[in-house]
Amino acid sequence: MTTTPSSDPRPVGIAYLIGRIDHVLNRRLRDSLAVLGLTAPQYTALSVLNAQSQLSNAQLAERSMVSPQSANEMVKTMESRGWIERQPDASHGRIIQISLTESGQSLLRNCDIAVAKLEVAMLAELGIDERNALHGQLRKLLRSLGSMMVDPVHMEGK
């Protein structure tokens, strides 16, 4: 018998599998990046800065998925290691713009190689069509979750 989400209130296990993938992937990323001397949030921040050129601390925090306080500490660390530089915004004196240094760009290239190897290993059992389909499906899931409104009244008792 095939059930639909409305006829069977039990979860099918997708959320659990995604959670497990997230857990294992984060551990593998952490291990791969630690060899290069940085954390996964630092790698994310360097990637975001590379894509955006310059950002404020608040923008970096939001796009790197960390709190403003964590971003502030991370920026201090990355600046002390010479990976980024901070300069006052030309149009607004109180905003500090953050950008990658040449050293940060070089480190990011090495990290990208390590992360690409991890992705290749993770996707090794999938053909190119399956990889493309998975990528599209994951984007759809993210869009769905991003647009979903949580209704606390209907969540009670479930």
Side-chain angles (χ1 to χ4, degrees), residues 48-68:
V48 167
L49 284 168
N50 188 57
Q52 299 295 317
S53 180
Q54 283 190 334
L55 293 172
S56 69
N57 194 64
Q59 292 168 322
L60 181 62
E62 182 179 329
R63 293 179 184 153
S64 297
M65 301 170 283
V66 297
S67 71

Side-chain angles (χ1 to χ4, degrees), residues 34-96:
V35 172
L36 297 167
L38 74 166
T39 64
Q42 289 169 336
Y43 170 66
T44 301
L46 292 177
S47 297
V48 167
L49 284 168
N50 188 57
Q52 299 295 317
S53 180
Q54 283 190 334
L55 293 172
S56 69
N57 194 64
Q59 292 168 322
L60 181 62
E62 182 179 329
R63 293 179 184 153
S64 297
M65 301 170 283
V66 297
S67 71
Q69 297 82 2
S70 294
N72 192 40
E73 290 303 313
M74 185 171 57
V75 164
K76 287 178 187 176
T77 299
M78 292 190 309
E79 184 178 35
S80 72
R81 294 182 180 173
W83 303 340
I84 63 168
E85 58 188 5
R86 298 190 285 184
Q87 296 183 357
D89 185 280
S91 62
H92 194 289
R94 293 184 61 163
I95 295 176
I96 303 295

Side-chain angles (χ1 to χ4, degrees), residues 123-138:
L123 300 170
E125 294 184 33
L126 301 180
I128 190 70
D129 290 341
E130 291 173 304
R131 290 178 189 195
N132 291 336
L134 176 62
H135 192 264
Q137 291 163 350
L138 290 172

Side-chain angles (χ1 to χ4, degrees), residues 94-143:
R94 293 184 61 163
I95 295 176
I96 303 295
Q97 293 293 328
I98 305 165
S99 58
L100 286 179
T101 62
E102 286 185 33
S103 175
Q105 290 172 350
S106 176
L107 176 61
L108 180 59
R109 282 189 294 275
N110 291 333
C111 291
D112 284 345
I113 291 168
V115 172
K117 286 180 183 177
L118 179 58
E119 284 186 356
V120 166
M122 179 175 66
L123 300 170
E125 294 184 33
L126 301 180
I128 190 70
D129 290 341
E130 291 173 304
R131 290 178 189 195
N132 291 336
L134 176 62
H135 192 264
Q137 291 163 350
L138 290 172
R139 285 186 160 297
K140 285 179 186 177
L141 291 176
L142 187 57
R143 257 193 322 274

